[in-house]
Amino acid sequence: MTSTIRLSLRGGEPFLPNLSSGPVPVRRYSRGMVWLEIVGWAGSLLVIVSLTQARVLRFRWLNLVGAVIATAYNAIVGIWPFAVMNGVIAVIDVYWLFRLHRERHDAEAYGVLEVPADDSVLRHLLDTHAPDIARFHPAFVAADPAPSAAFVVVRGDELVGAVVVRSAGDGVGRVDLDYVTPRYRDFTPGEFVYRDSGVFAAHGFRRLVVGGSSAPESSAYLERVGFHPTSDGWEREVPAAA
């Protein structure tokens, strides 16, 4: 068996390493350096996870936390180009979070359009998000009798939700669907539909009802838009049209 000894040059002359000196020393990390590396990797992981989020608010929060950690890590180890880049990303995330929270309940940021039962835009929303709608509203069937009132909620030129109300008789409107697309699920655009109670009174409704129990976040939303709990679900009085 033969082996090859690599020669390096020192001062232009071949230099033979001292083979009797034992193994080359391995660089050892202190406990503090190990934790620093873990924190740095955690920041990178959060940034990656944020890019997989469909919800715009969740994306911004995860991206912000990851960018702040990455900024601190790169500043400590002295990698300034990446520290500056992540710092700028963090500032951008803060700006958008401030704007998104400010516009969360702003009627000027969202629009509500009442549409006919056979409206193609409403049908497109229902068909596109049918599996997601079935998950959150399993009792909703788009093929049921035409709704008494249907609304789509838009933000700019983006369709973000829909509310469908059907008559249950005797002035009662049953809210069959109050749906928000995944991107805006951290917001409550449906609240803009209920702000103008006159649209329901115009359809002859004196009371709106939502059947069944709701998850805690849904309960908070229903309370905020004027519903109160009953033994069968939730209900909301509709003021008479002015």
Side-chain angles (χ1 to χ4, degrees):
M1 178 182 294
T2 61
S3 60
T4 302
I5 299 178
R6 294 193 176 187
L7 301 180
S8 61
L9 294 179
R10 176 178 290 179
E13 296 294 331
F15 170 68
L16 182 64
N18 184 359
L19 301 180
S20 64
S21 61
V24 177
V26 177
R27 181 183 177 186
R28 298 185 182 278
Y29 284 87
S30 67
R31 182 173 298 179
M33 293 178 65
V34 170
W35 279 108
L36 181 61
E37 289 291 324
I38 292 174
V39 170
W41 279 106
S44 297
L45 180 62
L46 279 174
V47 172
I48 294 172
V49 171
S50 74
L51 298 176
T52 67
Q53 301 302 307
R55 300 188 183 187
V56 61
L57 196 59
R58 184 176 297 179
F59 157 70
R60 286 296 175 186
W61 274 115
L62 289 174
N63 196 260
L64 172 62
V65 175
V68 168
I69 293 175
T71 299
Y73 170 80
N74 285 289
I76 291 172
V77 300
I79 307 178
W80 293 107
F82 285 99
V84 172
M85 179 188 71
N86 283 284
V88 172
I89 291 174
V91 171
I92 294 172
D93 284 329
V94 169
Y95 164 78
W96 277 107
L97 282 168
F98 171 78
R99 179 171 172 177
L100 289 170
H101 279 284
R102 185 188 64 188
E103 295 177 349
R104 193 170 189 171
H105 307 292
D106 185 359
E108 294 184 0
Y110 293 87
V112 176
L113 306 174
E114 184 171 2
V115 296
D118 59 350
D119 182 72
S120 58
V121 173
L122 175 62
R123 175 57 55 185
H124 174 74
L125 176 71
L126 299 180
D127 291 344
T128 301
H129 298 279
D132 196 41
I133 291 174
R135 186 160 66 99
F136 289 96
H137 300 274
F140 176 77
V141 179
D144 275 354
S148 303
F151 308 87
V152 292
V153 185
V154 296
R155 187 178 190 277
D157 59 355
E158 187 174 359
L159 190 63
V160 304
V163 173
V164 172
V165 181
R166 290 190 171 99
S167 176
D170 198 24
V172 177
R174 187 183 71 237
V175 180
D176 276 3
L177 179 69
D178 188 340
Y179 176 74
V180 181
T181 59
R183 177 174 168 82
Y184 287 91
R185 190 145 297 154
D186 293 321
F187 304 90
T188 54
E191 70 181 85
F192 300 103
V193 176
Y194 302 107
R195 283 188 181 182
D196 184 8
S197 296
V199 297
F200 298 110
H203 285 276
F205 296 132
R206 299 190 302 274
R207 186 161 53 98
L208 298 177
V209 298
V210 177
S213 59
S214 302
E217 60 271 18
S218 298
S219 299
Y221 163 69
L222 289 171
E223 289 181 353
R224 186 164 59 248
V225 298
F227 286 84
H228 60 272
T230 67
S231 57
D232 298 325
W234 297 79
E235 70 174 37
R236 177 184 189 275
E237 297 300 321
V238 175

